[in-house]
mmCIF file of all heavy atoms in Angstrom:
data_model
loop_
_atom_site.group_PDB
_atom_site.id
_atom_site.type_symbol
_atom_site.label_atom_id
_atom_site.label_comp_id
_atom_site.label_asym_id
_atom_site.label_seq_id
_atom_site.Cartn_x
_atom_site.Cartn_y
_atom_site.Cartn_z
ATOM 1 N N ALA X 27 -11.621 16.486 8.920
ATOM 2 C CA ALA X 27 -11.671 17.925 8.636
ATOM 3 C C ALA X 27 -10.908 18.273 7.353
ATOM 4 O O ALA X 27 -11.421 19.065 6.551
ATOM 5 C CB ALA X 27 -11.089 18.695 9.842
ATOM 6 N N GLN X 28 -9.799 17.688 7.166
ATOM 7 C CA GLN X 28 -8.997 17.947 5.968
ATOM 8 C C GLN X 28 -9.793 17.412 4.700
ATOM 9 O O GLN X 28 -9.846 18.172 3.714
ATOM 10 C CB GLN X 28 -7.675 17.221 5.987
ATOM 11 C CG GLN X 28 -6.847 17.407 4.723
ATOM 12 C CD GLN X 28 -5.558 16.570 4.755
ATOM 13 O OE1 GLN X 28 -5.129 16.173 5.836
ATOM 14 N NE2 GLN X 28 -4.947 16.417 3.633
ATOM 15 N N ALA X 29 -10.387 16.255 4.812
ATOM 16 C CA ALA X 29 -11.203 15.748 3.654
ATOM 17 C C ALA X 29 -12.397 16.619 3.370
ATOM 18 O O ALA X 29 -12.705 16.878 2.223
ATOM 19 C CB ALA X 29 -11.623 14.315 3.978
ATOM 20 N N ARG X 30 -13.016 17.181 4.381
ATOM 21 C CA ARG X 30 -14.107 18.068 4.220
ATOM 22 C C ARG X 30 -13.683 19.415 3.533
ATOM 23 O O ARG X 30 -14.357 19.919 2.659
ATOM 24 C CB ARG X 30 -14.856 18.356 5.530
ATOM 25 C CG ARG X 30 -15.655 17.201 6.018
ATOM 26 C CD ARG X 30 -16.342 17.438 7.335
ATOM 27 N NE ARG X 30 -17.134 16.270 7.631
ATOM 28 C CZ ARG X 30 -17.425 15.995 8.932
ATOM 29 N NH1 ARG X 30 -17.046 16.734 9.959
ATOM 30 N NH2 ARG X 30 -18.092 14.855 9.210
ATOM 31 N N ARG X 31 -12.461 19.925 4.005
ATOM 32 C CA ARG X 31 -12.025 21.109 3.371
ATOM 33 C C ARG X 31 -11.699 20.900 1.835
ATOM 34 O O ARG X 31 -11.880 21.797 1.028
ATOM 35 C CB ARG X 31 -10.710 21.568 4.035
ATOM 36 C CG ARG X 31 -10.983 22.300 5.387
ATOM 37 C CD ARG X 31 -9.675 22.975 5.813
ATOM 38 N NE ARG X 31 -8.529 22.125 5.928
ATOM 39 C CZ ARG X 31 -8.239 21.334 7.039
ATOM 40 N NH1 ARG X 31 -9.043 21.353 8.062
ATOM 41 N NH2 ARG X 31 -7.157 20.506 7.060
ATOM 42 N N GLU X 32 -11.265 19.694 1.561
ATOM 43 C CA GLU X 32 -10.983 19.344 0.186
ATOM 44 C C GLU X 32 -12.213 18.865 -0.603
ATOM 45 O O GLU X 32 -12.134 18.471 -1.768
ATOM 46 C CB GLU X 32 -9.927 18.227 0.162
ATOM 47 C CG GLU X 32 -8.578 18.591 0.673
ATOM 48 C CD GLU X 32 -7.578 17.431 0.842
ATOM 49 O OE1 GLU X 32 -7.932 16.241 0.416
ATOM 50 O OE2 GLU X 32 -6.465 17.668 1.260
ATOM 51 N N LYS X 33 -13.365 18.909 0.117
ATOM 52 C CA LYS X 33 -14.659 18.491 -0.476
ATOM 53 C C LYS X 33 -14.692 17.055 -0.938
ATOM 54 O O LYS X 33 -15.347 16.715 -1.923
ATOM 55 C CB LYS X 33 -15.067 19.468 -1.641
ATOM 56 C CG LYS X 33 -15.103 20.921 -1.149
ATOM 57 C CD LYS X 33 -16.137 21.683 -1.799
ATOM 58 C CE LYS X 33 -16.105 23.205 -1.470
ATOM 59 N NZ LYS X 33 -16.099 23.532 -0.106
ATOM 60 N N ASP X 34 -13.916 16.230 -0.259
ATOM 61 C CA ASP X 34 -13.830 14.773 -0.555
ATOM 62 C C ASP X 34 -14.826 14.068 0.489
ATOM 63 O O ASP X 34 -14.396 13.574 1.493
ATOM 64 C CB ASP X 34 -12.403 14.261 -0.359
ATOM 65 C CG ASP X 34 -12.269 12.844 -0.863
ATOM 66 O OD1 ASP X 34 -13.315 12.130 -1.004
ATOM 67 O OD2 ASP X 34 -11.137 12.455 -1.131
ATOM 68 N N THR X 35 -16.101 14.141 0.144
ATOM 69 C CA THR X 35 -17.116 13.617 1.079
ATOM 70 C C THR X 35 -16.969 12.098 1.258
ATOM 71 O O THR X 35 -17.273 11.611 2.328
ATOM 72 C CB THR X 35 -18.511 13.967 0.588
ATOM 73 O OG1 THR X 35 -18.701 13.474 -0.771
ATOM 74 C CG2 THR X 35 -18.746 15.487 0.540
ATOM 75 N N ALA X 36 -16.545 11.366 0.250
ATOM 76 C CA ALA X 36 -16.411 9.930 0.357
ATOM 77 C C ALA X 36 -15.291 9.607 1.381
ATOM 78 O O ALA X 36 -15.470 8.760 2.247
ATOM 79 C CB ALA X 36 -16.124 9.278 -0.912
ATOM 80 N N ALA X 37 -14.231 10.254 1.280
ATOM 81 C CA ALA X 37 -13.072 10.026 2.255
ATOM 82 C C ALA X 37 -13.492 10.499 3.656
ATOM 83 O O ALA X 37 -13.202 9.771 4.639
ATOM 84 C CB ALA X 37 -11.881 10.814 1.805
ATOM 85 N N ALA X 38 -14.138 11.600 3.760
ATOM 86 C CA ALA X 38 -14.591 12.117 5.022
ATOM 87 C C ALA X 38 -15.512 11.089 5.729
ATOM 88 O O ALA X 38 -15.395 10.804 6.935
ATOM 89 C CB ALA X 38 -15.315 13.463 4.914
ATOM 90 N N ALA X 39 -16.414 10.537 4.960
ATOM 91 C CA ALA X 39 -17.378 9.478 5.487
ATOM 92 C C ALA X 39 -16.643 8.277 5.896
ATOM 93 O O ALA X 39 -16.916 7.670 6.970
ATOM 94 C CB ALA X 39 -18.447 9.212 4.500
ATOM 95 N N ALA X 40 -15.753 7.768 5.008
ATOM 96 C CA ALA X 40 -15.007 6.559 5.307
ATOM 97 C C ALA X 40 -14.150 6.668 6.555
ATOM 98 O O ALA X 40 -14.105 5.804 7.415
ATOM 99 C CB ALA X 40 -14.155 6.154 4.114
ATOM 100 N N ILE X 41 -13.415 7.789 6.615
ATOM 101 C CA ILE X 41 -12.523 8.034 7.787
ATOM 102 C C ILE X 41 -13.295 8.364 9.021
ATOM 103 O O ILE X 41 -13.021 7.878 10.117
ATOM 104 C CB ILE X 41 -11.492 9.097 7.420
ATOM 105 C CG1 ILE X 41 -10.603 8.625 6.275
ATOM 106 C CG2 ILE X 41 -10.650 9.469 8.628
ATOM 107 C CD1 ILE X 41 -9.825 9.706 5.611
ATOM 108 N N GLY X 42 -14.346 9.123 8.865
ATOM 109 C CA GLY X 42 -15.144 9.561 9.996
ATOM 110 C C GLY X 42 -15.871 8.389 10.691
ATOM 111 O O GLY X 42 -16.191 8.374 11.876
ATOM 112 N N GLY X 43 -16.119 7.308 9.959
ATOM 113 C CA GLY X 43 -16.782 6.149 10.465
ATOM 114 C C GLY X 43 -15.891 5.174 11.214
ATOM 115 O O GLY X 43 -16.405 4.218 11.795
ATOM 116 N N LEU X 44 -14.615 5.457 11.220
ATOM 117 C CA LEU X 44 -13.695 4.537 11.880
ATOM 118 C C LEU X 44 -13.818 4.685 13.408
ATOM 119 O O LEU X 44 -13.935 5.750 13.970
ATOM 120 C CB LEU X 44 -12.228 4.873 11.467
ATOM 121 C CG LEU X 44 -11.951 4.723 10.001
ATOM 122 C CD1 LEU X 44 -10.477 5.198 9.698
ATOM 123 C CD2 LEU X 44 -12.160 3.337 9.540
ATOM 124 N N ARG X 45 -13.701 3.509 14.071
ATOM 125 C CA ARG X 45 -13.725 3.506 15.535
ATOM 126 C C ARG X 45 -12.272 3.321 16.037
ATOM 127 O O ARG X 45 -11.460 2.637 15.407
ATOM 128 C CB ARG X 45 -14.608 2.302 15.976
ATOM 129 C CG ARG X 45 -16.040 2.510 15.634
ATOM 130 C CD ARG X 45 -16.974 1.503 16.140
ATOM 131 N NE ARG X 45 -16.906 1.548 17.568
ATOM 132 C CZ ARG X 45 -17.352 0.554 18.329
ATOM 133 N NH1 ARG X 45 -17.818 -0.554 17.861
ATOM 134 N NH2 ARG X 45 -17.231 0.686 19.665
ATOM 135 N N ARG X 46 -12.092 3.885 17.222
ATOM 136 C CA ARG X 46 -10.757 3.781 17.826
ATOM 137 C C ARG X 46 -10.596 2.245 18.224
ATOM 138 O O ARG X 46 -11.538 1.637 18.784
ATOM 139 C CB ARG X 46 -10.723 4.594 19.067
ATOM 140 C CG ARG X 46 -9.343 4.586 19.815
ATOM 141 C CD ARG X 46 -9.381 5.433 21.022
ATOM 142 N NE ARG X 46 -10.341 4.840 21.923
ATOM 143 C CZ ARG X 46 -10.130 4.856 23.263
ATOM 144 N NH1 ARG X 46 -9.122 5.413 23.777
ATOM 145 N NH2 ARG X 46 -11.063 4.360 24.005
ATOM 146 N N PRO X 47 -9.453 1.717 17.889
ATOM 147 C CA PRO X 47 -9.212 0.318 18.186
ATOM 148 C C PRO X 47 -9.032 0.102 19.661
ATOM 149 O O PRO X 47 -8.503 0.940 20.423
ATOM 150 C CB PRO X 47 -7.948 -0.071 17.513
ATOM 151 C CG PRO X 47 -7.194 1.203 17.370
ATOM 152 C CD PRO X 47 -8.231 2.263 17.239
ATOM 153 N N THR X 48 -9.532 -1.037 20.188
ATOM 154 C CA THR X 48 -9.245 -1.369 21.555
ATOM 155 C C THR X 48 -7.790 -1.716 21.689
ATOM 156 O O THR X 48 -7.036 -1.872 20.689
ATOM 157 C CB THR X 48 -10.054 -2.652 21.959
ATOM 158 O OG1 THR X 48 -9.568 -3.752 21.141
ATOM 159 C CG2 THR X 48 -11.524 -2.482 21.789
ATOM 160 N N LEU X 49 -7.295 -1.783 22.879
ATOM 161 C CA LEU X 49 -5.859 -2.066 23.114
ATOM 162 C C LEU X 49 -5.524 -3.415 22.522
ATOM 163 O O LEU X 49 -4.446 -3.565 21.914
ATOM 164 C CB LEU X 49 -5.513 -2.040 24.597
ATOM 165 C CG LEU X 49 -4.062 -2.085 24.996
ATOM 166 C CD1 LEU X 49 -3.297 -0.965 24.322
ATOM 167 C CD2 LEU X 49 -3.980 -2.026 26.462
ATOM 168 N N ALA X 50 -6.344 -4.420 22.697
ATOM 169 C CA ALA X 50 -6.065 -5.788 22.102
ATOM 170 C C ALA X 50 -6.009 -5.697 20.576
ATOM 171 O O ALA X 50 -5.059 -6.275 19.990
ATOM 172 C CB ALA X 50 -7.152 -6.733 22.565
ATOM 173 N N VAL X 51 -6.889 -5.040 19.903
ATOM 174 C CA VAL X 51 -6.903 -4.898 18.472
ATOM 175 C C VAL X 51 -5.646 -4.154 18.011
ATOM 176 O O VAL X 51 -5.008 -4.533 17.047
ATOM 177 C CB VAL X 51 -8.160 -4.265 17.986
ATOM 178 C CG1 VAL X 51 -8.095 -3.893 16.475
ATOM 179 C CG2 VAL X 51 -9.376 -5.126 18.199
ATOM 180 N N TRP X 52 -5.327 -3.094 18.707
ATOM 181 C CA TRP X 52 -4.106 -2.316 18.380
ATOM 182 C C TRP X 52 -2.895 -3.208 18.503
ATOM 183 O O TRP X 52 -2.033 -3.148 17.633
ATOM 184 C CB TRP X 52 -3.988 -1.108 19.276
ATOM 185 C CG TRP X 52 -2.681 -0.389 19.124
ATOM 186 C CD1 TRP X 52 -2.333 0.412 18.125
ATOM 187 C CD2 TRP X 52 -1.539 -0.503 20.009
ATOM 188 N NE1 TRP X 52 -1.095 0.855 18.309
ATOM 189 C CE2 TRP X 52 -0.567 0.328 19.484
ATOM 190 C CE3 TRP X 52 -1.331 -1.171 21.185
ATOM 191 C CZ2 TRP X 52 0.668 0.509 20.065
ATOM 192 C CZ3 TRP X 52 -0.077 -1.091 21.777
ATOM 193 C CH2 TRP X 52 0.895 -0.209 21.194
ATOM 194 N N ALA X 53 -2.786 -4.032 19.535
ATOM 195 C CA ALA X 53 -1.663 -4.920 19.727
ATOM 196 C C ALA X 53 -1.556 -5.951 18.601
ATOM 197 O O ALA X 53 -0.455 -6.164 18.080
ATOM 198 C CB ALA X 53 -1.717 -5.611 21.076
ATOM 199 N N VAL X 54 -2.667 -6.461 18.152
ATOM 200 C CA VAL X 54 -2.636 -7.384 17.040
ATOM 201 C C VAL X 54 -2.248 -6.687 15.748
ATOM 202 O O VAL X 54 -1.427 -7.209 14.941
ATOM 203 C CB VAL X 54 -4.021 -8.105 16.882
ATOM 204 C CG1 VAL X 54 -4.083 -8.886 15.630
ATOM 205 C CG2 VAL X 54 -4.297 -8.973 18.083
ATOM 206 N N ASN X 55 -2.737 -5.486 15.527
ATOM 207 C CA ASN X 55 -2.362 -4.719 14.356
ATOM 208 C C ASN X 55 -0.825 -4.424 14.386
ATOM 209 O O ASN X 55 -0.148 -4.591 13.344
ATOM 210 C CB ASN X 55 -3.064 -3.409 14.267
ATOM 211 C CG ASN X 55 -4.500 -3.475 13.812
ATOM 212 O OD1 ASN X 55 -4.863 -4.449 13.220
ATOM 213 N ND2 ASN X 55 -5.290 -2.469 14.113
ATOM 214 N N LEU X 56 -0.331 -4.108 15.524
ATOM 215 C CA LEU X 56 1.106 -3.756 15.718
ATOM 216 C C LEU X 56 1.914 -5.046 15.391
ATOM 217 O O LEU X 56 2.926 -4.987 14.638
ATOM 218 C CB LEU X 56 1.403 -3.279 17.126
ATOM 219 C CG LEU X 56 2.819 -2.933 17.417
ATOM 220 C CD1 LEU X 56 3.263 -1.726 16.503
ATOM 221 C CD2 LEU X 56 2.955 -2.520 18.877
ATOM 222 N N LEU X 57 1.471 -6.170 15.862
ATOM 223 C CA LEU X 57 2.156 -7.412 15.637
ATOM 224 C C LEU X 57 2.150 -7.723 14.130
ATOM 225 O O LEU X 57 3.176 -8.114 13.584
ATOM 226 C CB LEU X 57 1.569 -8.594 16.448
ATOM 227 C CG LEU X 57 2.144 -9.975 16.177
ATOM 228 C CD1 LEU X 57 3.573 -10.053 16.697
ATOM 229 C CD2 LEU X 57 1.257 -11.033 16.798
ATOM 230 N N ALA X 58 1.029 -7.584 13.496
ATOM 231 C CA ALA X 58 0.926 -7.892 12.082
ATOM 232 C C ALA X 58 1.831 -6.944 11.258
ATOM 233 O O ALA X 58 2.379 -7.379 10.274
ATOM 234 C CB ALA X 58 -0.501 -7.807 11.639
ATOM 235 N N ARG X 59 1.975 -5.758 11.678
ATOM 236 C CA ARG X 59 2.776 -4.757 10.944
ATOM 237 C C ARG X 59 4.311 -4.961 11.209
ATOM 238 O O ARG X 59 5.114 -4.827 10.237
ATOM 239 C CB ARG X 59 2.478 -3.368 11.387
ATOM 240 C CG ARG X 59 1.140 -2.852 10.936
ATOM 241 C CD ARG X 59 0.766 -1.583 11.749
ATOM 242 N NE ARG X 59 -0.470 -1.072 11.337
ATOM 243 C CZ ARG X 59 -0.650 -0.103 10.515
ATOM 244 N NH1 ARG X 59 0.377 0.580 9.954
ATOM 245 N NH2 ARG X 59 -1.869 0.349 10.178
ATOM 246 N N THR X 60 4.628 -5.298 12.462
ATOM 247 C CA THR X 60 6.100 -5.369 12.734
ATOM 248 C C THR X 60 6.682 -6.754 12.697
ATOM 249 O O THR X 60 7.834 -6.878 12.480
ATOM 250 C CB THR X 60 6.326 -4.793 14.178
ATOM 251 O OG1 THR X 60 5.583 -5.519 15.123
ATOM 252 C CG2 THR X 60 5.912 -3.289 14.167
ATOM 253 N N ARG X 61 5.849 -7.755 12.939
ATOM 254 C CA ARG X 61 6.317 -9.143 12.930
ATOM 255 C C ARG X 61 5.363 -10.043 12.254
ATOM 256 O O ARG X 61 4.688 -10.906 12.854
ATOM 257 C CB ARG X 61 6.567 -9.601 14.399
ATOM 258 C CG ARG X 61 7.693 -8.983 15.157
ATOM 259 C CD ARG X 61 9.081 -9.234 14.512
ATOM 260 N NE ARG X 61 9.369 -10.657 14.272
ATOM 261 C CZ ARG X 61 9.925 -11.499 15.068
ATOM 262 N NH1 ARG X 61 10.352 -11.070 16.295
ATOM 263 N NH2 ARG X 61 10.198 -12.711 14.774
ATOM 264 N N PRO X 62 5.147 -9.888 10.974
ATOM 265 C CA PRO X 62 4.161 -10.665 10.207
ATOM 266 C C PRO X 62 4.439 -12.143 10.336
ATOM 267 O O PRO X 62 3.549 -12.947 10.277
ATOM 268 C CB PRO X 62 4.223 -10.154 8.797
ATOM 269 C CG PRO X 62 5.502 -9.386 8.697
ATOM 270 C CD PRO X 62 5.838 -8.918 10.100
ATOM 271 N N ASP X 63 5.729 -12.531 10.560
ATOM 272 C CA ASP X 63 6.048 -13.932 10.674
ATOM 273 C C ASP X 63 5.413 -14.508 11.947
ATOM 274 O O ASP X 63 4.869 -15.573 11.913
ATOM 275 C CB ASP X 63 7.579 -14.131 10.671
ATOM 276 C CG ASP X 63 8.237 -13.292 11.796
ATOM 277 O OD1 ASP X 63 7.802 -12.090 12.049
ATOM 278 O OD2 ASP X 63 9.233 -13.786 12.308
#
């Protein structure tokens, strides 16, 4: 909504196309962010 208000259609499309991560994917993302080692 913010990107659309700013008339940034490319950002709105890129962000709007994102899917909510599954719990497993979120956990892997969290691990990679907090404990990359």
